[in-house]
């Protein structure tokens, strides 16, 4: 996106489109961009936000409108930031998800949204058999809906269900049993003080290895695993290390029930990347930035796998 601001969003988007035509080396920037092939236009349009694609591009010209309403622009749907603006309701998010997924005509490969509900999740499942990346943190999707539709996500490689408090062991097990190509799982949870039930007499966290055991038993192909502030202990961690033999990245920051007794600590630090329960991001700010970039790259590369 250009840094130059303008009072007319239509002109701003048009300026970006012209610039990107030059970047991709088609049309020569000579004004023939309106007649470009829809597939070429879609490569340019995806550099704009979903909000701009939906609200502004159709106003530019008929060819732009036709392209935006077609499937080419929406193979990857990222409306996470839009969902967070003004604290969108679950109804608004589900409506947007249904609208955009419908445009893909069953070709959506990535969905990143926030506060998705059961209706939106069900619609994605029915239309997203090619989906490779599903990122729905802080959503209200329930176990019942996951159990009903998880079979539709058999091609999924990356799953983010962080802070999805209505998904429990049942839903997690359904994902594991049906998503055999899963390589990256994010299941981060809120800080213990946010969920008082995590505390036991104010003395710590009561261990619960059930989710860790399910991950170990049903997701042996995982390579990247994030379980920040999980309730599991050494028993669950031992099961994950023993059964998830492809694991290279493990993040268990804030998992206070993990003690790393015996040889667990040595085995964890043999991984390509390990963040312990006591890992402090401020110990190495440069490394933290690099780790974040690497995680984003992993998500993008996973979405391109077939």
């Amino acid at each position: 996106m250009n840094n130059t601001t303008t009072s007319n969003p239509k002109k701003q988007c048009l300026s970006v489109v012209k610039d990107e035509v030059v970047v991709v080396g088609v049309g020569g920037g000579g004004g023939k961009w309106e007649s470009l092939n829809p597939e070429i236009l879609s490569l340019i349009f995806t550099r704009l936000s979903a909000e701009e694609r939906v609200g502004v591009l159709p106003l530019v010209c008929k060819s732009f409108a036709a392209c935006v309403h077609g499937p080419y622009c929406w193979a990857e749907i990222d409306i996470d930031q839009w969902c967070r603006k003004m604290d969108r309701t679950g109804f608004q998010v589900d409506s947007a998800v249904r609208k955009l997924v419908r445009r893909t005509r069953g070709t959506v490969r990535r969905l990143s949204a926030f506060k998705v509900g059961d209706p939106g999740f069900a619609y994605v499942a029915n239309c997203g058999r090619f989906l490779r990346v599903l990122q729905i943190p802080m959503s209200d999707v329930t176990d019942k809906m996951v159990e009903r539709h998880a079979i539709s996500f058999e091609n999924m490689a990356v799953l983010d269900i962080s802070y999805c408090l209505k998904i429990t062991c049942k839903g997690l097990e359904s994902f594991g049993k049906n998503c055999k190509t899963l390589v990256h799982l994010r299941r981060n949870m809120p800080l213990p003080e946010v969920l008082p039930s995590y505390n036991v007499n104010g003395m710590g966290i009561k261990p619960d290895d059930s989710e860790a055991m399910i991950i170990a038993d049903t997701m042996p192909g995982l390579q990247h695993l994030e379980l920040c502030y999980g309730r599991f202990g050494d028993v669950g961690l031992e099961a994950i290390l023993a059964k998830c033999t492809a694991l290279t990245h493990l993040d268990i920051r804030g998992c206070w029930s993990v003690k790393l007794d015996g040889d667990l600590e040595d085995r964890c630090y043999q991984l390509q990347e390990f963040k312990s329960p006591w890992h402090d991001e401020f110990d190495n700010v440069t490394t933290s930035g690099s780790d974040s970039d690497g995680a984003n790259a992993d998500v993008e590369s996973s979405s391109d796998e077939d």
Side-chain angles (χ1 to χ4, degrees), residues 104-124:
T104 71
R105 300 173 190 172
T107 62
V108 59
R109 293 169 58 87
R110 176 183 179 180
L111 173 65
S112 180
F114 177 77
K115 293 177 65 174
V116 176
D118 279 348
F121 182 84
Y123 193 88
V124 173

Side-chain angles (χ1 to χ4, degrees), residues 63-118:
S63 62
F64 280 23
C67 182
V68 170
H69 284 88
Y72 299 111
C73 285
W74 304 106
E76 296 193 6
I77 301 173
D78 185 351
I79 57 172
D80 183 86
Q81 293 302 314
W82 176 85
C83 293
R84 296 174 188 265
K85 288 181 180 179
M86 301 174 61
D87 193 23
R88 309 281 182 182
T89 65
F91 176 79
Q92 290 175 311
V93 173
D94 286 343
S95 297
V97 167
R98 288 195 297 266
K99 177 180 180 180
L100 297 181
V101 171
R102 187 184 303 120
R103 292 187 179 186
T104 71
R105 300 173 190 172
T107 62
V108 59
R109 293 169 58 87
R110 176 183 179 180
L111 173 65
S112 180
F114 177 77
K115 293 177 65 174
V116 176
D118 279 348

Side-chain angles (χ1 to χ4, degrees), residues 155-166:
N155 296 312
M156 186 164 58
V158 179
L159 174 64
D160 186 351
I161 49 173
S162 297
Y163 321 114
C164 294
L165 304 184
K166 293 183 180 180

